[in-house]
Amino acid sequence: MAAPSSVTERERKYEIVAGSGVPRLIGVAGVENQDDPVEQVLDASYYDTQGFRLARAGITLRRRVGGSDAGWHLKLPVSADERQELQLPLGGDPHKVPGRFRRLVRAYTLGEKLVPIAHLRTDRFVHRLAGAGGRTIAVLTDDHVTGEAGGPAARLDEWRELELELDPGTEPGLLEEFGRALAEAGASASPWPSKLRRLIGDRVPAPPHRRKKPTAGEVVLTSLREHYGRLCRADVGVRLDVDDSVHQMRVATRKLRSTLRTFGSFFDERATAPVVAELKWLGQQLSPARDTEVGEQRLREQLDGVPSELVFGPLRRYLTRHFAREAEEARARAMAALTGKRYLELLRALDALLEEPPLTAEARKPAKAGLRKPLRKAARKLSRAQAATRGLEGGELEHALHDVRKKAKQARYAADTVKPVYGKKVRKWRKNVKAVQVTLGEHQDTVVGREVLHHLTVAGHGEGQNTFTFGMLYAQDAGRAERLRERFAVEWRRLRKGPRPGWLG
């Protein structure tokens, strides 16, 4: 099946008093003409798991007949007013979700079967809102909806709503102007994000309640759930081959693993240890794809800074061939992991861990008291890693600095987790930790970059390439590494002497 088409929806829904007319919006946001209504009859069947896993994530999956965009639609949330809509044409079994969409939402369904959960029939009256020259600015629809939801007890409902959707080329900020005009005309913002949620809202399990004074474990669980949500969203992006999605997925994976390790005393280790190990495995499967992206971008930027008279031979074509092979192999490795059973089992284990967390007595302590020890432990690990670099040189020093970078990243992630509790008290310390991490990240880029340049030099020489330029870039990276180590020394003193809570040590 062909790849789905994609559009970005920017829209808001509004309640309207029964029997009232459709507001006139001429003069609002540049609208010069409001077309007479065009009627459409839309018939849509909605699919989800029995436990409403898609709805809980704000995702809508439907098969719709009628209107200008009949087909299978998968809507993914981007922000409160924005959703990415993927579309596939009608065809095949009308009662079976296309395999392409089933695979895209696998991180959310965890392999559970997608079944019909609701049916909506909409009698829609479409008003095109046009500006100068007849350009479409937005579309205002007057929807008369009849909904039916299945389940243990069938539900029927009818309602009327307005929907204001911006044209893709319209400035997103105009939603506010339209919203004010509709409010003045008597419409009110709908409390529901979609027609489906209006119909089945009370059947969808509510997210965990956040108390004003949470326990230490509840703070950590909130952080873990956020990272897990980002992992699932990035999963869809990787499958669609969206730019930066591999990076986002690897970051979410790293944060999940780091948080479970830093706050490990809050959980039964028998439940979390296998998850931590599998998260490490997932990160390893994603690393080549991300490393290839970073390596190519960095090397091309370095080449752009070299005077043309010092670039010998068709080096850029050589790099294109090299990195294309690397990228293809790395993506194949990542996709093999994402489509395999091992990854699915990891997702199920994470879901179970968050649904029924195996908390210990440490996790039940008040947040302000319970979160201090894990953060202090992360800070001490960072200090020990820095101390271990003293007296080292060459490759040993580079390896030790990479360990400092990893410990700084863990400390920063820990600070991010506890930030809702300690706020300003850890802000400056976290900022200084991040500065150390960023500098050592750049340093590690020079280490990896030199390894890549060495490989390219040897391989290029074997193919008859003039590799002088690669050797020059290697020397530049070595010099940059030395300057970054000097910068790290300054930033470490700032971190050591800078403000921090007294209990952090």
Side-chain angles (χ1 to χ4, degrees):
M1 179 177 287
S5 60
S6 176
V7 295
T8 299
E9 278 188 343
R10 295 184 179 91
E11 65 181 25
R12 289 183 185 175
K13 299 181 184 297
Y14 298 88
E15 305 283 313
I16 186 171
V17 177
S20 60
V22 174
R24 301 293 292 173
L25 296 176
I26 294 176
V28 179
V31 173
E32 296 184 1
N33 186 62
Q34 182 165 328
D35 289 355
D36 291 334
V38 175
E39 185 176 9
Q40 298 176 355
V41 178
L42 313 176
D43 193 275
S45 296
Y46 290 79
Y47 289 78
D48 204 334
T49 65
Q50 291 286 2
F52 300 103
R53 288 189 174 276
L54 297 185
R56 288 160 62 183
I59 296 172
T60 302
L61 174 59
R62 72 186 178 203
R63 182 184 187 273
R64 190 164 76 183
V65 178
S68 58
D69 62 347
W72 287 93
H73 302 160
L74 177 62
K75 296 190 177 188
L76 306 166
V78 177
S79 65
D81 299 322
E82 186 175 333
R83 291 192 290 178
Q84 180 187 17
E85 181 177 305
L86 304 174
Q87 301 176 352
L88 288 172
L90 297 173
D93 188 342
H95 305 295
K96 186 177 181 181
V97 176
R100 187 69 186 252
F101 278 174
R102 292 200 307 272
R103 290 188 290 273
L104 279 178
V105 297
R106 190 176 184 228
Y108 294 97
T109 64
L110 304 181
E112 293 181 21
K113 187 176 181 180
L114 290 164
V115 296
I117 58 164
H119 178 261
L120 290 174
R121 186 184 186 280
T122 304
D123 196 6
R124 167 169 287 180
F125 298 89
V126 182
H127 299 257
R128 189 179 74 98
L129 307 178
R135 182 183 69 84
T136 300
I137 295 176
V139 172
L140 178 66
T141 62
D142 178 15
D143 290 345
H144 300 251
V145 188
T146 302
E148 178 183 4
R155 171 178 296 171
L156 296 174
D157 199 0
E158 292 183 351
W159 69 91
R160 182 188 177 198
E161 68 181 32
L162 296 179
E163 185 175 288
L164 190 290
E165 181 177 354
L166 297 182
D167 185 80
T170 299
E171 167 60 39
L174 291 181
L175 269 177
E176 294 293 339
E177 189 171 344
F178 279 119
R180 288 192 294 269
L182 288 168
E184 291 173 0
S188 59
S190 173
W192 303 105
S194 67
K195 293 179 175 65
L196 176 64
R197 286 302 297 269
R198 178 170 186 154
L199 182 63
I200 66 168
D202 62 343
R203 297 186 177 185
V204 178
H209 175 66
R210 294 188 181 185
R211 296 189 291 181
K212 289 185 178 180
K213 292 186 177 181
T215 64
E218 286 169 342
V219 172
V220 173
L221 284 170
T222 296
S223 180
L224 287 170
R225 291 186 179 107
E226 289 174 357
H227 301 328
Y228 182 50
R230 292 190 179 97
L231 173 68
C232 293
R233 289 192 293 274
D235 174 291
V236 178
V238 173
R239 294 176 192 272
L240 291 171
D241 202 14
V242 175
D243 286 347
D244 202 43
S245 55
V246 172
H247 173 55
Q248 294 302 323
M249 189 171 191
R250 194 167 73 156
V251 169
T253 300
R254 188 185 296 125
K255 287 184 175 181
L256 282 166
R257 179 168 172 254
S258 181
T259 303
L260 285 171
R261 293 177 65 194
T262 300
F263 301 94
S265 62
F266 291 3
F267 304 94
D268 184 339
E269 187 180 3
R270 292 170 297 181
T272 58
V275 174
V276 169
E278 288 302 275
L279 285 167
K280 181 178 181 180
W281 163 81
L282 178 59
Q284 291 169 340
Q285 306 314 302
L286 298 171
S287 289
R290 175 57 181 168
D291 292 345
T292 300
E293 290 176 354
V294 172
E296 180 176 13
Q297 179 182 354
R298 186 172 183 276
L299 187 49
R300 289 192 181 280
E301 289 174 355
Q302 286 178 288
L303 269 181
D304 289 342
V306 176
S308 57
E309 63 270 18
L310 295 179
V311 179
F312 298 98
L315 290 187
R316 286 183 173 81
R317 288 203 299 272
Y318 174 56
L319 291 180
T320 297
R321 292 197 308 272
H322 169 78
F323 283 111
R325 290 193 300 268
E326 294 282 318
E328 184 178 358
E329 293 174 1
R331 176 162 177 79
R333 178 174 175 175
M335 289 306 300
L338 265 58
T339 55
K341 186 177 180 181
R342 185 173 180 177
Y343 172 63
L344 182 60
E345 290 302 318
L346 168 58
L347 292 175
R348 287 171 175 167
L350 278 167
D351 183 77
L353 183 69
L354 296 175
E355 286 291 321
E356 297 183 14
L359 299 176
T360 64
E362 285 289 308
R364 298 185 179 92
K365 291 181 178 179
K368 282 194 174 182
L371 294 170
R372 289 183 177 185
K373 185 177 179 180
L375 184 60
R376 185 165 57 242
K377 188 175 180 181
R380 288 174 176 172
K381 284 183 177 180
L382 172 57
S383 295
R384 287 197 296 270
Q386 187 276 336
T389 66
R390 297 168 190 165
L392 299 180
E393 296 180 354
E396 287 186 342
L397 176 59
E398 291 176 344
H399 181 77
L401 288 174
H402 184 43
D403 188 52
V404 177
R405 178 203 175 202
K406 290 190 290 185
K407 295 297 189 298
K409 191 173 293 186
Q410 291 169 6
R412 181 190 135 210
Y413 292 163
D416 288 340
T417 297
V418 305
K419 187 166 57 177
V421 176
Y422 299 123
K424 294 181 180 179
K425 292 182 178 180
V426 298
R427 183 182 300 168
K428 185 66 176 179
W429 179 79
R430 179 209 176 270
K431 181 180 178 181
N432 289 336
V433 169
K434 183 179 180 181
V436 166
Q437 175 205 323
V438 170
T439 295
L440 292 182
E442 293 177 19
H443 182 271
Q444 182 64 14
D445 286 343
T446 70
V447 175
V448 175
R450 277 175 280 157
E451 292 174 356
V452 172
L453 285 166
H454 181 267
H455 171 78
L456 290 172
T457 299
V458 173
H461 182 75
E463 295 181 18
Q465 295 281 345
N466 187 326
T467 57
F468 167 84
T469 307
F470 290 152
M472 184 178 66
L473 293 178
Y474 187 102
Q476 288 179 357
D477 256 351
R480 177 166 174 74
E482 185 174 351
R483 293 190 296 274
L484 286 167
R485 289 193 290 271
E486 293 171 354
R487 192 170 93 188
F488 161 68
V490 173
E491 289 174 342
W492 183 260
R493 286 194 294 272
R494 186 180 298 127
L495 171 62
R496 184 167 53 85
K497 296 179 180 180
R500 68 179 69 195
W503 50 261
L504 195 54

